[in-house]
Amino acid sequence: MKSDQHWMQVALELAKQGQGYVEPNPMVGCVVVRQGELIASGFHERFGGPHAEVNALDRLDAQTVCESTIYVTLEPCAHYGKTPPCVELLLKKPPARVVIAMEDPFDQVAGLGIGKLKQVGIDVTLGVLGDQAREINAPYLKRLSSRLPWVIAKWAMTLDGAVASSTGDSKWISNELSRKQVHQLRARVDAIIVGSSTVIADDPLLTARLDSGQVPARRAVRVVLDRRFRIAETSQLVRSARDIPVMIAVDGKELDLLAQKRRLFEDHGVEFLELGPSSSRSVGLELDGILRELARRGATSVMVEGGAGVLGSFFDAGLVDQVECYVAPKVLGGALAHRPVSGIGMEAISKANEFQNVQWESLGGDLHFSGFLASRF
């Protein structure tokens, strides 16, 4: 007979299909098993839509559910939000048993759903593949606990660790498969953050360009860290701001000095986030404040794409949660070639950032590294 771990794994894989569509809600999967056979399944498909349990149980009668075990990756909700509480559905169609990967720490749930199931005599098992459930919903959990979005640092580099030559040339380090995956990542985050030097050097659009017929799950706001208000009105970001949001974080004094430039940018649809006076000690607090503002607007995940100073500042401030790195089978050489991460850094190897949930994959010759910072769990 297949184990609880097997069926929970099926539910977890279902839950992942909601990535990018359900945030700021968690990803949740649910399967219904009777006499060792899968008879129904569902997952939370989009924000504001039916939850996983509803999608799984909708076509089953009460007698069938009564003879079944339900596997769900997150505790059934016990409160009214955009949809009725899922636990009420389980009380109307009580199953023989409910297996739950993890408790939902949201303060309006937090054990209440489990408690209601137990009160009516339903057999509840908690904690099956709980670590995996926490991993797939790490951004949701972080936002609940810290009011900050999940931060993904991304870069592409050569074998010798260069992201651009001494002249600034960087197109293209990674291959087409790697770049395609980056666009898929962009399609699942709420914001993409870059520094002004990257905008000036590369004039990026920072949009998710997918295959024909595919629509991005989310439309990320493009955020430029531009304290001195250096980027040009003619940049692709500014010229496309009416269609896809652009926010520029800039020193308030620079905005006052360059009032006419500000009005031109605002005419294009650019929004400004004013920063206070700068100091080396304030950089971390400044980045924290930008992230909190993005979270206040509903952001669950953001991606930082460079340059080196921006990425270094995020690492120095301890704000990076995940790294996506693409390594191309190329050697650029040169003492003046650009590196992906600068900043203050660590004084010793023993203090270096370490990772868990590490995955390596080959993408047509490139190597893709993905990992969570070990301190996040």
Side-chain angles (χ1 to χ4, degrees):
M1 188 171 179
K2 292 178 179 177
S3 67
D4 285 347
Q5 286 79 7
H6 168 81
W7 292 118
M8 189 61 75
Q9 189 65 56
V10 173
L12 286 165
E13 294 304 316
L14 275 172
K16 293 176 186 177
Q17 294 183 43
Q19 187 177 39
Y21 296 94
V22 303
E23 292 84 351
N25 283 351
M27 292 177 277
V28 184
C30 178
V31 299
V32 185
V33 177
R34 184 177 63 175
Q35 297 177 356
E37 297 294 331
L38 178 66
I39 61 170
S41 64
F43 66 97
H44 186 28
E45 298 178 11
R46 60 179 177 82
F47 178 72
H51 288 189
E53 298 92 327
V54 175
N55 287 330
L57 296 173
D58 188 44
R59 294 180 175 84
L60 299 180
D61 59 53
Q63 181 58 41
T64 300
V65 176
C66 179
E67 299 168 353
S68 304
T69 297
I70 292 175
Y71 294 84
V72 62
T73 59
L74 187 70
E75 176 184 7
C77 61
H79 67 291
Y80 281 88
K82 290 186 176 296
T83 61
C86 293
V87 72
E88 297 297 332
L89 175 62
L90 296 177
L91 296 179
K92 291 177 182 177
K93 295 181 179 181
R97 181 172 174 241
V98 178
V99 182
I100 302 168
M102 64 171 288
E103 184 178 299
D104 187 346
F106 183 54
D107 57 10
Q108 290 183 285
V109 185
L112 293 176
I114 293 171
K116 288 186 176 184
L117 295 176
K118 289 182 175 180
Q119 283 175 7
V120 297
I122 296 174
D123 180 9
V124 177
T125 300
L126 176 65
V128 175
L129 300 188
D131 287 345
Q132 291 188 36
R134 281 183 283 275
E135 288 168 13
I136 70 168
N137 275 317
Y140 166 74
L141 298 174
K142 181 188 179 185
R143 193 166 181 269
L144 276 184
S145 63
S146 68
R147 306 300 179 192
L148 287 170
W150 186 259
V151 177
I152 303 166
K154 168 263 164 185
W155 65 85
M157 68 182 188
T158 61
L159 281 174
D160 56 332
V163 296
S165 70
S166 59
T167 64
D169 182 43
S170 61
K171 294 184 179 179
W172 293 103
I173 287 176
S174 56
N175 65 26
E176 188 174 348
L177 281 175
S178 294
R179 297 196 300 273
K180 182 176 181 178
Q181 190 175 94
V182 169
H183 284 288
Q184 292 168 347
L185 285 170
R186 286 178 178 174
R188 298 198 299 263
V189 299
D190 297 293
I192 298 167
I193 301 175
V194 296
S196 58
S197 294
T198 296
V199 175
I200 293 168
D202 300 337
D203 192 20
L205 193 55
L206 300 178
T207 55
R209 297 184 289 281
L210 305 178
D211 291 338
S212 178
Q214 290 186 313
V215 178
R218 310 189 80 72
R219 188 176 72 163
V221 57
R222 285 90 49 88
V223 181
V224 184
L225 308 183
D226 188 16
R227 172 168 284 282
R228 291 180 287 162
F229 201 6
R230 299 190 303 148
I231 69 171
E233 182 194 356
T234 54
S235 68
Q236 290 195 91
L237 288 176
V238 175
R239 287 188 287 112
S240 62
R242 284 287 178 201
D243 299 318
I244 304 171
V246 172
M247 179 190 294
I248 302 178
V250 62
D251 190 319
K253 290 183 178 179
E254 295 293 337
L255 286 178
D256 292 338
L257 290 171
L258 299 169
Q260 184 176 1
K261 183 178 179 181
R262 174 180 185 164
R263 286 194 293 273
L264 287 172
F265 276 52
E266 288 176 336
D267 287 344
H268 282 290
V270 171
E271 182 180 359
F272 290 96
L273 180 61
E274 295 189 29
L275 305 174
S278 176
S279 72
S280 59
R281 292 183 179 181
S282 71
V283 173
L285 293 174
E286 193 172 90
L287 296 178
D288 181 273
I290 292 169
L291 292 176
R292 288 189 185 280
E293 175 60 20
L294 291 171
R296 188 188 68 79
R297 297 170 181 233
T300 300
S301 297
V302 305
M303 188 154 67
V304 183
E305 295 205 25
V310 171
L311 284 164
S313 295
F314 272 91
F315 274 105
D316 289 342
L319 293 172
V320 175
D321 301 295
Q322 178 178 345
V323 166
E324 301 293 327
C325 174
Y326 297 84
V327 185
K330 303 173 183 177
V331 172
L332 191 60
L336 299 180
H338 298 264
R339 307 298 166 187
V341 182
S342 60
I344 298 170
M346 303 297 183
E347 297 176 351
I349 293 293
S350 61
K351 295 182 180 180
N353 290 296
E354 296 185 359
F355 296 85
Q356 63 183 42
N357 308 328
V358 169
Q359 298 178 45
W360 290 93
E361 67 173 329
S362 177
L363 294 172
D366 285 0
L367 276 180
H368 170 221
F369 167 89
S370 178
F372 290 179
L373 267 74
S375 60
R376 295 300 178 259
F377 289 94

